[in-house]
Amino acid sequence: MFDALSDKLEVVFKKLRGAGKLTEKNVQESLREVRKALLEADVNYKVARDFVKIVQEKSVGDEVLKSIEPGQQIIKIVHDELVALLGGQAEPVAPIDKAPTVYMICGLQGSGKTTLTGKLALQAKRKNKKPLVVAADIYRPAAVKQLKVLADSIDVEHFHLKGKQPQEICAEAVKYASKNFIDLVILDTAGRLHVDDDLMNELQEIKGLVSPDELLLVADSMTGQDAVNVAREFHERLDITGVVLSKLDGDARGGAALSIRQVTNCPIKLASTGEKLSDLEPFHPERLASRILGMGDIVSLVEKASESIDLEKAEKMKEKILKSQFDFEDFLEQMQQVRKMGPLDSLLGMIPGAGKALKNVKVDEKDVNRMLAIIQSMTIEERRNPKILDGSRKKRIAAGSGNSIQAINQLLKQFAAMQKMFNNMNKMKMKGLPKGMMPF
Ligand SMILES: Nc1nc2c(ncn2[C@@H]2O[C@H](COP(=O)(O)OP(=O)(O)OP(=O)(O)O)[C@@H](O)[C@H]2O)c(=O)[nH]1
Ligand SMILES: [Mg+2]
């Protein structure tokens, strides 16, 4: 989402770094470019103006300009201000520590409320808490069913009272939860096309009845500045406790994400980054700022890895590499583990510097699938010892995986190159890697 902004900032920073000696004048020029980049990314104009003003004030002191690396210093100031703009510290959602804790979800139509309800329920479940999702949208005909299907897919209890008003449904749901050992009640409320009085009154009444521990507004990042205005209006009427930015995986310019905190003064607590129920992350200002400035987001990457990768298996794999025993079986397993973490493109973007370097290297999931199909068509023996692959075996694998013999030869070549690389790798360095981390 922040690619265009990242690219532009990188150009500005390159100039700053190369400038050697900096003067107030060339700092000013650079910051004008920064402001332009922010505006082009659809950042609210007041936010962009104030941002640049602060960076400028902090940049022109003697301390910075006469320092050894003034360009670097200014980049650091931009980074720190970006973190501040996004809210400084990460603010987690209220812990699930009462029986029941209540989260109320609100937002405009199609912003991602129901999806978020499912995601939060799944997270709660993974923490061994018992969630209850509540269908409080009685207006859109398929809304109740949609949430039911979602709840069933993750084996979570669903609550609805047919023919009742949303206020009563929510109040009854919380009562039901207290009696039935539910840890977390998630209220999926109705959306509207625009902020209107009926909706706000209904939400205010529900809030009054259930006193939620979190009143989360889902703001669709794809809608740009509209999302910011919506957030402001919701906050004024309802005093929300947090914003969830949804659809951060989209290709909008990112301005909403960057302005919403400053304009509403309400913390962004979660980031929704895809349609799958596992695509929900805590919002970390520091990490997003680093990502925008091309510094990568290695912390999120490691977190993702530790969630999806079996540490014990990873350690075994490392041993095998150390002993030069890494074969196609291991490769297959490794690929499947990485797959669990998400699309390769998004993972590469988190590696510092890689976003840029690999920009034109399109990771084609189809290529990966083809590679996996070939390996899956091999027998165990062949995977362990690819040397035995002669003409007739290759022909069989080609037919079995729907590929050409050339594709198989290419994979074998790549694999041999990888094995060679492993052999050459500094083994001490491998041993020093944190538990579970692989060198690739
Ligand atoms: N790419 C992407 N799609 C999302 C995300 N969150 C939700 N969606 C999609 O957006 C669409 C609307 O999501 P819903 O959760 O139904 O939205 P809602 O706010 O409940 O909508 P209403 O109930 O009609 O008001 C669905 O197609 C979701 O799959 C996200 O983070 N990324
Ligand atoms: Mg919905």
Side-chain angles (χ1 to χ4, degrees):
M1 163 161 280
F2 300 98
D3 283 359
L5 176 62
S6 270
D7 286 353
K8 289 195 189 111
L9 290 177
E10 189 173 320
V11 174
V12 181
F13 291 165
K14 216 175 196 161
K15 268 197 236 155
L16 267 178
R17 276 199 202 98
K21 212 168 147 344
L22 288 182
T23 60
E24 268 189 45
K25 189 158 169 287
N26 55 18
V27 169
Q28 233 170 39
E29 247 162 54
S30 303
L31 291 181
R32 230 192 326 264
E33 295 286 314
V34 170
R35 179 159 168 266
K36 213 169 116 201
L38 290 173
L39 289 175
E40 279 168 13
D42 195 29
V43 171
N44 175 291
Y45 81 95
K46 272 196 213 122
V47 172
R49 188 192 57 197
D50 293 349
F51 180 84
V52 166
K53 207 167 138 221
I54 296 177
V55 175
Q56 179 143 8
E57 280 165 12
K58 294 194 173 165
S59 301
V60 292
D62 266 4
E63 241 170 83
V64 174
L65 290 184
K66 288 187 183 152
S67 64
I68 308 170
E69 285 189 275
Q72 209 59 42
Q73 292 264 10
I74 292 174
I75 296 167
K76 167 128 190 4
I77 295 171
V78 172
H79 173 264
D80 292 351
E81 283 312 309
L82 205 50
V83 175
L85 182 71
L86 293 167
Q89 292 283 337
E91 296 213 29
V93 285
I96 308 170
D97 56 4
K98 289 191 282 183
T101 298
V102 179
Y103 293 173
M104 177 171 164
I105 314 297
C106 62
L108 290 190
Q109 218 166 63
S111 55
K113 297 179 294 298
T114 304
T115 310
L116 177 72
T117 302
K119 289 177 178 182
L120 287 167
L122 180 64
Q123 279 198 348
K125 240 189 106 165
R126 285 187 173 161
K127 288 183 199 148
N128 291 323
K129 303 284 184 186
K130 198 171 157 202
L132 176 73
V133 298
V134 182
D137 179 355
I138 57 168
Y139 309 103
R140 191 164 60 82
V144 177
K145 177 95 188 290
Q146 184 196 357
L147 185 63
K148 173 88 170 82
V149 170
L150 211 59
D152 287 349
S153 76
I154 48 174
D155 198 17
V156 158
E157 201 176 339
H158 172 269
F159 187 97
H160 179 67
L161 298 172
K162 214 166 167 205
K164 301 289 184 202
Q165 289 301 301
Q167 293 87 331
E168 188 177 348
I169 295 173
C170 292
E172 287 302 319
V174 175
K175 274 189 215 152
Y176 171 86
S178 328
K179 287 190 207 129
N180 289 277
F181 307 103
I182 300 283
D183 299 302
L184 176 67
V185 178
I186 313 167
L187 307 171
D188 180 23
T189 66
R192 294 279 203 285
L193 277 177
H194 301 284
V195 174
D196 67 38
D197 269 346
D198 285 348
L199 171 69
M200 289 300 170
N201 290 339
E202 178 180 307
L203 293 173
Q204 269 169 346
E205 283 169 26
I206 296 176
K207 182 185 172 188
L209 284 167
V210 304
S211 313
D213 300 281
E214 278 290 354
L215 176 43
L216 296 171
L217 171 78
V218 184
D220 181 342
S221 350
M222 300 290 283
T223 59
Q225 289 308 306
D226 268 355
V228 180
N229 296 331
V230 167
R232 189 171 41 207
E233 290 181 62
F234 268 81
H235 197 35
E236 275 165 15
R237 293 286 297 264
L238 286 166
D239 202 11
I240 54 180
T241 58
V243 173
V244 180
L245 284 175
S246 69
K247 307 183 195 176
L248 265 183
D249 52 317
D251 54 7
R253 291 169 293 167
L258 291 171
S259 329
I260 220 161
R261 166 69 204 239
Q262 203 71 3
V263 173
T264 61
N265 201 23
C266 185
I268 304 169
K269 294 191 170 172
L270 296 165
S272 191
T273 54
E275 293 187 74
K276 284 206 308 292
L277 289 187
S278 51
D279 297 331
L280 182 68
E281 294 167 17
F283 183 80
H284 286 284
E286 160 76 48
R287 296 185 199 174
L288 182 57
S290 298
R291 221 157 138 178
I292 292 173
L293 298 182
M295 298 165 178
D297 181 6
I298 204 75
V299 188
S300 292
L301 186 63
V302 172
E303 268 180 8
K304 250 187 192 304
S306 59
E307 266 172 29
S308 0
I309 283 183
D310 182 334
L311 277 185
E312 212 172 300
K313 274 192 189 157
E315 277 302 298
K316 261 193 212 136
M317 202 76 83
K318 217 152 89 182
E319 278 301 302
K320 282 197 154 180
I321 295 175
L322 279 172
K323 291 184 189 149
S324 304
Q325 288 173 347
F326 191 79
D327 58 27
F328 269 125
E329 272 272 280
D330 304 315
F331 185 66
L332 188 63
E333 194 173 300
Q334 191 64 27
M335 284 310 294
Q336 281 160 346
Q337 295 256 13
V338 172
R339 264 295 160 80
K340 278 198 273 176
M341 290 165 60
L344 290 173
D345 282 342
S346 73
L347 296 178
L348 287 175
M350 292 183 189
I351 302 170
K356 190 79 199 157
L358 295 173
K359 192 152 190 161
N360 297 319
V361 184
K362 188 95 195 84
V363 184
D364 194 340
E365 297 275 335
K366 270 196 231 126
D367 285 341
V368 179
N369 287 338
R370 177 162 3 106
M371 208 156 72
L372 293 179
I374 295 176
I375 303 174
Q376 274 156 345
S377 297
M378 294 178 187
T379 62
I380 302 273
E381 198 191 353
E382 289 162 349
R383 290 181 203 168
R384 297 217 168 114
N385 185 15
K387 283 198 189 82
I388 62 170
L389 288 173
D390 55 15
S392 75
R393 284 177 189 262
K394 283 184 195 168
K395 215 161 141 192
R396 193 202 77 240
I397 295 167
S401 65
N403 282 288
S404 63
I405 303 243
Q406 283 102 299
I408 292 164
N409 283 333
Q410 198 191 354
L411 175 66
L412 287 172
K413 230 160 88 189
Q414 284 169 341
F415 190 71
M418 194 165 86
Q419 276 178 324
K420 200 162 152 210
M421 182 184 84
F422 286 158
N423 287 340
N424 294 341
M425 226 161 7
N426 178 345
K427 297 189 174 181
M428 289 319 289
K429 207 161 128 198
M430 277 277 303
K431 277 186 180 146
L433 282 173
K435 202 167 161 56
M437 274 288 278
M438 300 300 279
F440 51 88

